[in-house]
């Protein structure tokens, strides 16, 4: 394990791709958490001080930084930058020093292989939603998850700003700890579960997902995920009143499924 103090701007800019592993939950932040994120940025802009972002735990897999802890904060940052990027595409006068092209190249795309690629490459359905948001494609109603809601929130905030430069500059004053794991020494899935044991508890649905995807090959995990889990996730993870894994909807689905399978025997959390 190697820990390095850096800032949010540098950490994102120096990364080629971010990947969210299969055992991670989908994006789950609520408006309250988005507002707290925005207020911390706004306060840091106002007082010209530094702000501590926390740590991001990851391991390196070829060109991917595979994020074990910090997915929600990192994805929220990328949604904020995406909203700024779109604001500059619509009106370049919102910035004295940044262009939309520069912003996209630094934070949102990787051009090393000659093609533009979205920097967030998660394994969940959020990947397609993020891609649609970034490329300004229509996001169907049944794909408007919390990811879409958070992006819309930032669009509203940024539309009220005359200049966005201070809000982009502040990324260099948001300090963080970058923690690089070595896969041969640290089991990423065990690290993820240990971290969550002391934070927001994993739901039964989260644990079932982790177990179902704990397979020995990428091909096997992909088959289980795309042929089975994705159908459940897309049906139960929505915006508005459909609030996804963290609100026990997937847990409830499995409880009902097992109750039917076992001839209406009541299945509670304990068993």
């Amino acid at each position: 394990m190697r820990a390095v103090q850096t800032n949010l701007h540098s950490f994102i800019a120096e990364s080629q791709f971010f990947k969210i592993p299969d055992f991670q939950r989908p994006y789950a932040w609520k408006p309250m958490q988005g507002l707290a994120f925005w207020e911390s940025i706004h306060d840091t802009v106002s007082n010209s001080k530094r702000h501590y972002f926390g740590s991001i735990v990851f391991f390196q897999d070829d060109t991917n930084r595979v994020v074990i802890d910090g997915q929600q904060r990192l994805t929220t940052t990328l949604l904020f930058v995406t909203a700024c990027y779109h604001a500059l595409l619509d009106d370049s006068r919102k910035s004295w020093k940044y262009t939309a092209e520069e912003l996209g190249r630094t934070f949102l795309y990787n051009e090393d292989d000659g093609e533009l690629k979205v920097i967030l490459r998660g394994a969940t359905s959020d990947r397609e939603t993020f891609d649609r948001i970034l490329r300004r494609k229509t996001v169907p109603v049944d794909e408007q998850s919390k990811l879409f809601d958070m992006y819309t929130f930032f669009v509203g905030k940024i539309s009220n700003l005359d200049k966005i430069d201070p809000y982009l500059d502040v990324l260099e004053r948001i300090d963080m700890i970058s923690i690089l794991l070595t896969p041969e020494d640290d089991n990423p899935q065990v690290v993820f579960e240990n971290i969550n044991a002391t934070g927001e508890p994993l739901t039964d649905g989260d644990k079932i997902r982790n177990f179902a995807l704990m397979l020995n090959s990428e091909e096997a995990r992909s088959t289980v995920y795309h042929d089975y889990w994705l159908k459940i996730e897309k049906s139960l993870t929505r915006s508005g009143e459909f609030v996804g894994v963290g609100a026990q909807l997937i847990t409830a689905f499995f409880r009902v499924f097992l109750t039917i399978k076992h001839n209406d025997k009541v299945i509670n959390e304990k068993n």
Side-chain angles (χ1 to χ4, degrees):
M1 182 181 76
R2 181 167 61 90
V4 177
Q5 181 175 340
T6 183
N7 63 68
L8 195 52
H9 180 285
S10 297
F11 181 75
I12 297 175
E14 71 188 16
S15 304
Q16 288 183 280
F17 295 105
F18 292 110
K19 184 177 181 180
I20 309 301
D22 295 344
F23 54 77
Q24 284 266 32
R25 12 178 163 199
Y27 184 73
W29 268 23
K30 301 175 182 177
M32 178 178 63
Q33 291 157 309
L35 179 60
F37 179 92
W38 171 259
E39 288 178 344
S40 68
I41 289 181
H42 181 74
D43 290 345
T44 308
V45 169
S46 301
N47 60 31
S48 299
K49 295 182 180 179
R50 304 191 73 83
H51 177 72
Y52 179 58
F53 185 77
S55 62
I56 293 182
V57 182
F58 68 98
F59 68 88
Q60 195 71 37
D61 179 20
D62 193 20
T63 60
N64 297 308
R65 284 185 165 180
V66 184
V67 180
I68 303 303
D69 184 54
Q71 176 209 168
Q72 306 292 331
R73 287 169 288 135
L74 179 61
T75 303
T76 300
T77 303
L78 292 173
L79 289 169
F80 163 70
V81 174
T82 299
C84 292
Y85 169 69
H86 289 160
L88 289 180
L89 283 177
D90 292 338
D91 185 1
S92 62
R93 294 171 298 178
K94 275 190 172 288
S95 174
W96 287 295
K97 57 187 294 188
Y98 297 97
T99 65
E101 181 183 359
E102 177 188 2
L103 208 58
R105 188 173 60 248
T106 302
F107 293 103
L108 301 172
Y109 296 97
N110 175 62
E111 296 180 284
D112 285 352
D113 58 2
E115 295 183 7
L116 297 177
K117 292 186 177 180
V118 180
I119 199 169
L120 181 66
R121 304 199 302 183
T124 72
S125 56
D126 287 343
R127 174 180 176 176
E128 288 78 14
T129 302
F130 187 90
D131 185 79
R132 286 180 177 275
I133 290 170
L134 182 56
R135 302 180 191 279
R136 283 188 153 179
K137 295 180 179 179
T138 301
V139 179
V141 173
D142 64 352
E143 292 183 20
Q144 290 182 8
S145 63
K146 289 185 176 180
L147 201 71
F148 180 81
D149 294 342
M150 192 64 72
Y151 164 75
T152 303
F153 169 78
F154 286 132
V155 168
K157 291 295 184 182
I158 291 166
S159 66
N160 295 323
L161 300 176
D162 293 328
K163 297 290 182 182
I164 62 175
D165 298 56
Y167 290 82
L168 293 171
D169 289 342
V170 81
L171 296 177
E172 296 184 0
R173 302 206 312 275
I174 297 180
D175 296 320
M176 58 165 286
I177 303 296
S178 162
I179 301 177
L180 173 63
L181 300 178
T182 52
E184 62 271 18
D185 296 329
D186 304 283
N187 183 315
Q189 188 159 347
V190 172
V191 171
F192 168 74
E193 293 185 353
N194 286 342
I195 290 172
N196 279 277
T198 58
E200 181 69 21
L202 294 175
T203 66
D204 290 335
D206 293 326
K207 294 174 184 176
I208 291 171
R209 175 195 173 92
N210 291 357
F211 181 80
L213 295 171
M214 198 184 303
L215 301 168
N216 292 329
S217 73
E218 183 67 33
E219 182 180 1
R221 288 193 295 271
S222 179
T223 297
V224 170
Y225 179 76
H226 288 95
D227 291 355
Y228 300 98
W229 191 269
L230 190 58
K231 295 176 182 178
I232 297 170
E233 184 179 288
K234 282 192 171 184
S235 297
L236 298 176
T237 305
R238 297 286 186 273
S239 61
E241 70 272 23
F242 297 101
V243 286
V245 179
Q248 300 282 351
L249 291 183
I250 291 181
T251 298
F253 163 79
F254 278 104
R255 187 176 297 120
V256 171
F257 170 80
L258 290 170
T259 298
I260 295 171
K261 185 176 177 64
H262 292 280
N263 298 318
D264 293 332
K265 175 184 176 182
V266 176
I267 304 295
N268 57 38
E269 290 188 13
K270 184 176 295 187
N271 60 17

